[in-house]
């Protein structure tokens, strides 16, 4: 019901209704794959989460000590479409809508 088998060198397109606020993991069930970065998080209704989730001061302090940004989106960008923090590979599949 919540598992898709994908043969080697193939892919799947997944469509779902993102109507439950939170961070949701899409991952492989082979443990070492997660360690290699084959995992992603979907943020559903981040504005609602910002209103209801309080990050403990100790966590914010650890971020500050490590130079990790704690405002903006997941890449620390505040506003607009800013792909500066996106990885070079794989290439982005969408064009910047503000480039026209």
């Amino acid at each position: 019901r919540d598992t898709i088998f994908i043969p080697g060198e193939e892919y799947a397109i997944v469509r779902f209704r993102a109507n439950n606020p939170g961070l949701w993991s899409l991952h492989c069930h082979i443990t070492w794959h997660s360690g290699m970065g084959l995992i992603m998080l979907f943020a559903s209704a981040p504005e609602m989460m910002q209103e209801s989730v309080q990050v403990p001061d100790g966590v914010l302090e650890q971020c500050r000590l490590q130079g990790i940004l704690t405002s903006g989106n997941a890449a620390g960008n505040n506003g607009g479409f800013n792909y500066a923090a996106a990885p070079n590979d794989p290439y982005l599949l969408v064009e910047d809508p503000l480039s026209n």
Side-chain angles (χ1 to χ4, degrees):
R1 76 177 165 86
D2 61 357
T3 302
I4 301 171
F5 174 76
I6 304 170
E9 299 186 31
E10 297 290 334
Y11 64 93
I13 297 173
V14 179
R15 179 178 161 186
F16 61 94
R17 189 176 312 242
N19 61 356
N20 191 0
L23 290 173
W24 302 98
S25 176
L26 177 66
H27 61 93
C28 177
H29 280 270
I30 299 175
T31 304
W32 67 268
H33 282 175
S34 292
M36 299 290 292
L38 299 174
I39 189 169
M40 71 172 66
L41 292 176
F42 290 97
S44 178
E47 296 83 10
M48 288 178 80
M49 290 185 343
Q50 285 180 336
E51 294 173 2
S52 62
V53 175
Q54 296 298 317
V55 178
D57 290 338
V59 172
L60 292 172
E61 177 64 10
Q62 285 298 313
C63 290
R64 186 189 68 74
L65 291 171
Q66 297 176 59
I68 299 171
L69 300 174
T70 59
S71 67
N73 64 13
N77 296 322
N78 290 296
F81 289 93
N82 183 342
Y83 298 122
N88 290 327
D89 290 318
Y91 297 104
L92 293 173
L93 300 177
V94 296
E95 294 294 324
D96 185 340
L98 301 177
S99 65
N100 293 334

